[in-house]
Amino acid sequence: MGATRRRFLSAAGLTGLGAGALAGRGGPATAAAPVVPFYGPHQAGIATPAQEHLQFAAFDVTAGSKAGLRDLLRAWSTASAAMSVGAAPAGDTGEAVGLAPAQLTVTFGFGAGLFTARFGLAGHRPAPLAELPAFPGDALQAGLSGGDLGVQVCANDPQVAFHAMHELMRLARGAARPRWLLAGFGRTGTSTRQPLPRNLLGFQDGTANIMVEHTSVVEQFVWAQAPASPPWMRGGSYLVARRIQVSLGAWDDAGTAAQQRAVGRHKLTGTQLAPLPADAHIRLASPALNDGQRLLRRGYSYTGGADAATGDPVTGLLFLCYQADPRRQFTPIQRRIAGADGLSPFVTPIGSALFACPPGARRGGYVGEGLLR
Ligand code: HEM
């Protein structure tokens, strides 16, 4: 299909509606522009108000050379830029025809497996991309963890998000193979302009999060910095992805009072409990106990299937967090809460991955150009 989605809209006589009217179909989260620019100093999808829907995939690269990797990132970047304005890549699969761009963002990350002799990148692994340690309570599955490349797709329309992932998988054929894939919904709040959402535990999520409008906080805690990060990563960020299964039946059985003690907040209002239990999740994860460190949490809930043993729905949180350096942000915080906070009896990390997300691409360029050129 060579036609752009926009051309399709005009053929259908819809152009008179204007972009703003079309944007309204995308969902309530962002009343702002329907298009999030792909090109810019930072990749879209990090300091972007979190959209309603997620598709996340990790890929293993099968291409055997740096040139093959470069071609993939170039094709992915070009297609992502097109899809983010509602245009269709060549050979498009078609399921987003007629749909608005829905604030689509695509964010690419590089896993440790890229920094090997195969791609001539052995000496280039950034120090903050150090392997995560094992944490108490981890029950990690190899097939749900790791990956040479991480791709986060977000949009306010689930079909637009799936279409983008579908296209990226199609373009990757012969160069990279999907290792794990997960759909998510019910974002963590990351914007002062969004109402706070609730996660599947029934609590508001994002109350004490970094808000993307607070640019000096984002600057300090989210973007990679010198000297820890090399020049090709400046303006980028490190993404920790943790697939955390929630035992929903046990959580329901615990009752509201115990749930509130586990989190440290009132379920309905989100206000902090007084006094705050010593092992409350928000206490052990707080900057006060973690050397002032913070994370940009940008996770999504997932569901799928029924647990054969309990009959409970299989649910969880794809916990995604962006930061300048996981060695002083995610890792110490996770060390403090793992097996120790009030949530621990109810949650089991079953997947884990870490990616270095390069800065944004310049128009006509591609993500990772600073490393791969
Ligand atoms: C299934 C797993 C998890 C659930 C359901 C969960 C849920 C929550 C909830 C309900 C809050 C309070 C509202 C808010 O401030 O957003 C919160 C806060 C927070 N969570 Fe989690 N969380 C999970 C895992 C994690 C993990 C793995 C980390 C980091 C290692 C983390 C770090 C934080 C931080 C830093 C805060 C804010 C603390 C503060 O300063 O008040 N959470 N989480």
Side-chain angles (χ1 to χ4, degrees):
M1 181 181 313
T4 64
R5 275 157 52 192
R6 186 159 293 156
R7 257 187 249 141
F8 174 89
L9 294 176
S10 83
L14 291 175
T15 44
L17 283 173
L22 289 172
R25 297 186 192 168
T30 24
V35 167
V36 182
F38 177 78
Y39 296 111
H42 306 295
Q43 286 198 71
I46 304 174
T48 302
Q51 304 93 321
E52 295 288 337
H53 299 279
L54 169 81
Q55 292 278 336
F56 197 105
F59 293 78
D60 287 330
V61 177
T62 51
S65 68
K66 188 176 181 176
L69 186 58
R70 190 190 296 132
D71 288 348
L72 175 63
L73 267 300
R74 200 180 267 134
W76 270 359
S77 299
T78 305
S80 300
M83 292 188 288
S84 70
V85 297
D92 182 57
T93 51
E95 71 269 32
V97 170
L99 300 178
Q103 286 93 7
L104 175 76
T105 58
V106 182
T107 314
F108 298 107
F110 295 171
L114 284 196
F115 299 92
T116 57
R118 176 157 64 122
F119 305 112
L121 298 174
H124 293 268
R125 182 168 172 174
L129 197 69
E131 199 174 326
L132 297 177
F135 299 101
D138 277 1
L140 303 183
Q141 299 174 27
L144 304 178
S145 300
D148 295 336
L149 293 166
V151 181
Q152 174 197 277
V153 172
C154 297
N156 282 321
D157 179 326
Q159 184 138 340
V160 169
F162 180 78
H163 167 256
M165 183 57 85
H166 184 190
E167 282 298 305
L168 297 173
M169 288 185 162
R170 189 176 62 83
L171 290 167
R173 267 183 222 145
R177 193 181 306 118
R179 181 180 175 90
W180 55 274
L181 169 68
L182 191 64
F185 62 95
R187 65 199 157 76
T188 302
T190 67
S191 168
T192 55
R193 290 171 285 155
Q194 295 174 325
L196 273 182
R198 280 179 196 276
N199 59 29
L200 298 183
L201 278 62
F203 282 74
Q204 290 180 338
D205 208 340
T207 320
N209 204 3
I210 291 178
M211 294 286 129
V212 298
E213 291 81 9
H214 299 160
T215 45
S216 62
V217 180
V218 172
E219 204 60 55
Q220 184 182 353
F221 292 107
V222 179
W223 304 129
Q225 291 153 11
S229 285
W232 67 265
M233 263 302 288
R234 311 263 171 81
S237 187
Y238 296 87
L239 167 62
V240 175
R242 303 273 292 176
R243 183 155 166 170
I244 306 173
Q245 206 97 300
V246 174
S247 304
L248 207 58
W251 180 252
D252 294 343
D253 292 346
T256 304
Q259 292 174 355
Q260 293 185 154
R261 285 195 299 277
V263 173
R265 292 192 182 279
H266 286 281
K267 194 169 181 179
L268 206 58
T269 60
T271 49
Q272 199 173 300
L273 293 191
L276 194 57
D279 67 346
H281 177 66
I282 64 160
R283 179 170 178 273
L284 295 190
S286 69
L289 263 71
N290 293 287
D291 201 22
Q293 294 297 339
R294 303 184 65 186
L295 299 164
L296 174 58
R297 291 175 285 131
R298 210 177 183 286
Y300 287 83
S301 299
Y302 66 85
T303 62
D307 186 294
T310 63
D312 295 327
V314 173
T315 61
L317 177 70
L318 183 61
F319 178 87
L320 301 172
C321 67
Y322 287 92
Q323 59 227 282
D325 192 338
R327 296 172 303 172
R328 57 184 168 78
Q329 294 173 271
F330 173 79
T331 297
I333 298 172
Q334 178 63 20
R335 268 214 181 99
R336 189 171 296 279
I337 66 174
D341 74 347
L343 279 184
S344 290
F346 304 100
V347 301
T348 309
I350 57 171
S352 182
L354 171 63
F355 302 103
C357 304
R362 61 186 173 82
R363 196 167 287 279
Y366 59 93
V367 172
E369 193 171 4
L371 177 69
L372 300 173
R373 72 157 66 90

